[in-house]
Amino acid sequence: QILLAESGGGSVQAGGSLRLSCAVSGYRYNRICLAWFRQAPGKEREGVAHIDNLGRPSTADSMKGRFTIDKDNATNTLYLQMSSLKAEDTAMYYCAARALGTGSWCDGFLGYNYWGQGTQVTVSA
């Protein structure tokens, strides 16, 4: 059972920065995909950034250059560094995980079946 717990959300003015954290537990080392998603009121959930089991990060094109995903294997923590925040970044942000079976691999934003409770990010113009 993979457990995820986000923290670090809050209110910030446009142009500011926030760093989200996600404590991850209950997984086998190197057999997990991790990602950040977000969902704004009235909108569909969208992928923000993901990092595969080999530590290779990727950020959605619309957020590239502003958002960076990273993980610390020593502390089992996933991070999302957000800068130059805009009002349209306001959303609930979720940490997600996918456990890899034998012969499977991480595939972008697909297949995530473990979710945290979310942390709210509010950006004021």
Side-chain angles (χ1 to χ4, degrees), residues 14-52:
S17 299
L18 277 176
R19 189 189 197 198
L20 305 184
S21 300
C22 176
V24 186
S25 61
Y27 68 99
R28 292 177 59 192
Y29 179 71
N30 274 353
R31 300 305 299 165
I32 190 172
C33 318
L34 294 167
W36 289 98
F37 290 80
R38 71 183 184 183
Q39 188 166 20
K43 294 188 177 181
E44 291 189 357
R45 185 176 62 201
E46 64 173 332
V48 174
H50 56 84
I51 189 164
D52 71 8

Side-chain angles (χ1 to χ4, degrees), residues 15 19 28 32 34-35 43 62 66 78 80 82 85 90 95-97 101-102 106:
R19 189 189 197 198
R28 292 177 59 192
I32 190 172
L34 294 167
K43 294 188 177 181
S62 61
R66 298 192 302 121
L78 180 72
L80 182 68
M82 305 184 293
L85 283 162
T90 295
C95 174
T102 303
C106 299

Side-chain angles (χ1 to χ4, degrees), residues 102-115:
T102 303
S104 60
W105 57 90
C106 299
D107 188 8
F109 292 114
L110 301 179
Y112 290 86
N113 53 356
Y114 294 93
W115 298 85

Side-chain angles (χ1 to χ4, degrees), residues 30-98:
N30 274 353
R31 300 305 299 165
I32 190 172
C33 318
L34 294 167
W36 289 98
F37 290 80
R38 71 183 184 183
Q39 188 166 20
K43 294 188 177 181
E44 291 189 357
R45 185 176 62 201
E46 64 173 332
V48 174
H50 56 84
I51 189 164
D52 71 8
N53 57 308
L54 300 179
R56 295 174 296 193
S58 180
T59 302
D61 287 344
S62 61
M63 288 161 263
K64 208 163 281 187
R66 298 192 302 121
F67 291 9
T68 302
I69 189 171
D70 193 13
K71 67 175 180 177
D72 185 337
N73 289 325
T75 62
N76 297 333
T77 304
L78 180 72
Y79 297 102
L80 182 68
Q81 179 68 47
M82 305 184 293
S83 60
S84 302
L85 283 162
K86 306 174 183 179
E88 51 263 43
D89 294 319
T90 295
M92 187 71 80
Y93 284 72
Y94 297 92
C95 174
R98 173 189 170 191

